[in-house]
Amino acid sequence: MGIEDFGGGQTPQADVLVVTTNDVPGHQVTQVIGEVFGLTVRSRHIGSQIGAGLKSMIGGELKGLTKTLVETRNQAMERLVDQARARGANAVLMMRFDVSEAADVGTEVCAYGTAAVISRS
């Protein structure tokens, strides 16, 4: 697996800018639309669970589970952007992730932030 399997983020051509900061340098917030979120719950497949169990006995990174979590976070982020776009935003400020176990069968990932309209200053 290459480094591209373990990351995420936006492309330079994204029409909705997502940042973890309160503001965007060189831009002003012209409208705050409100909270938006993207949520997904993913179960682990049996192969990765068996592999993780064996790997946990000897130590080291659980690459299959890491890749699944990256895919899950990326899906939650896509849903966040879709919701922001649908509400007329061109930016999401203060984006965060919340991750938790979902009834011992999977991982719940929520990407959330504040949808806003920004313009260059």
Side-chain angles (χ1 to χ4, degrees):
M1 287 190 264
I3 191 67
E4 65 279 356
D5 293 324
F6 297 104
Q10 296 185 287
T11 64
Q13 301 85 357
D15 62 327
V16 176
L17 178 65
V18 179
V19 297
T20 59
T21 56
N22 295 338
D23 51 20
V24 179
H27 293 76
Q28 66 180 12
V29 176
T30 59
Q31 180 184 2
V32 173
I33 295 172
E35 181 188 15
V36 287
F37 66 91
L39 180 67
T40 186
V41 178
R42 291 257 181 124
S43 63
R44 297 176 210 93
H45 63 77
I46 191 69
S48 70
Q49 286 181 311
I50 292 170
L54 293 172
K55 186 75 171 182
S56 68
M57 289 189 278
I58 58 171
E61 182 181 8
L62 306 174
K63 288 187 179 184
L65 293 178
T66 300
K67 188 173 180 183
T68 298
L69 183 56
V70 168
E71 291 168 355
T72 304
R73 285 174 59 125
N74 288 343
Q75 184 178 45
M77 182 100 154
E78 288 171 15
R79 290 178 178 175
L80 167 85
V81 169
D82 289 345
Q83 188 183 55
R85 185 182 300 116
R87 294 184 60 193
N90 67 354
V92 176
L93 308 176
M94 300 179 293
M95 192 282 296
R96 302 288 187 266
F97 285 108
D98 185 44
V99 180
S100 61
E101 289 298 313
D104 293 331
V105 295
T107 302
E108 172 189 329
V109 175
C110 182
Y112 63 95
T114 302
V117 176
I118 61 172
S119 62
R120 288 209 173 268
S121 303

